[in-house]
Amino acid sequence: MDLGERLQLLRKQNGYSQEELANRLGIARQTVSKWENGQAVPELNGLMLLSELYGVTIDRIVKEDDRCNISLSRKANVDSNEMAAFLIRAKRNTYAGKGQEIKSSRRASHDFSYEEKDYAYYDTYLGRNGFAGEEAVYYCGDPVWSMNYVGRILEDSFNADFLKEVLCLGTKEYPYRGPEIYTKGDYRYHCKVDGGFSWYQGYEEIFYLDKKIYECYFHGGALS
C-alpha cells in the first residue's frame, strides 16, 4: 500500500470527504486529491496537521507496514453514520435501556455489551456517586471508536431513571450522550459537545428545580 492509498484510507476512516479535509487543513481540495492519487506528497507541515487531526504519529502515516495497513483498510470501510446509528441502538440495549450487566472485566466494575453483525459495543465503569468509565465500538473485531467519561452525583434528588431516559434520546448527530436540552417535570438536562465523531469532548449536567445535581465530562474519537 503506497502513501496515497494510506492517506485516502485515513481520511475515510475519520469520516471526511476530500473537500471537508481540505477545509480543516486550510488547503485546496485539489491538493488532497493529488496526495491521494500520487501526484504530490504532503510537506512536513501538512503531515503535522494530518497527524494532529487523525491522532496518529507521522511515522504511522508514512511508514509501510502491511499488518497495520490491513487493519487500517478494514477500519476505513466503517461508515461513520452507520457506526453512530449502531452506537445509539447499543446504548438503548445496555445501561440506558436498563439492560443486564455482564461479567465484570475488572474488580468491582459494571459491564455491558451489545452486538450486531460486524459491530460490537462495550461499556464498563467503576464507582457509583462518583464514577468513571469507557465505551468502545469494535468492527470486525478491531476497535474503531472509544469514549471515556467521568462524573459525579451532587445531590440526593438525582434520578437515575431520568438520566437513562435522556441517554436513550441520542441522535446520529449527537450519539455520545443525550440531546442538547431535555426537560421533564422538575428535571432539566443540558449537553454541550465540541468536535465531531472522530475527535470530540463534551460536558453534560442535570438540574432539579434550578439546582445542579449531576455532571459528567466525556471525550473520545475514532481509533486507528
Side-chain angles (χ1 to χ4, degrees), residues 81-94 113-122 137-141:
N81 291 324
E82 180 182 88
M83 181 162 56
F86 165 75
L87 181 60
I88 292 169
R89 293 193 299 273
K91 288 175 179 289
R92 292 173 181 172
N93 281 277
T94 50
S113 69
Y114 178 75
E115 297 185 20
E116 280 184 13
K117 297 182 180 178
D118 295 329
Y119 286 98
Y121 164 86
Y122 296 93
V137 173
Y138 288 72
Y139 178 74
C140 293

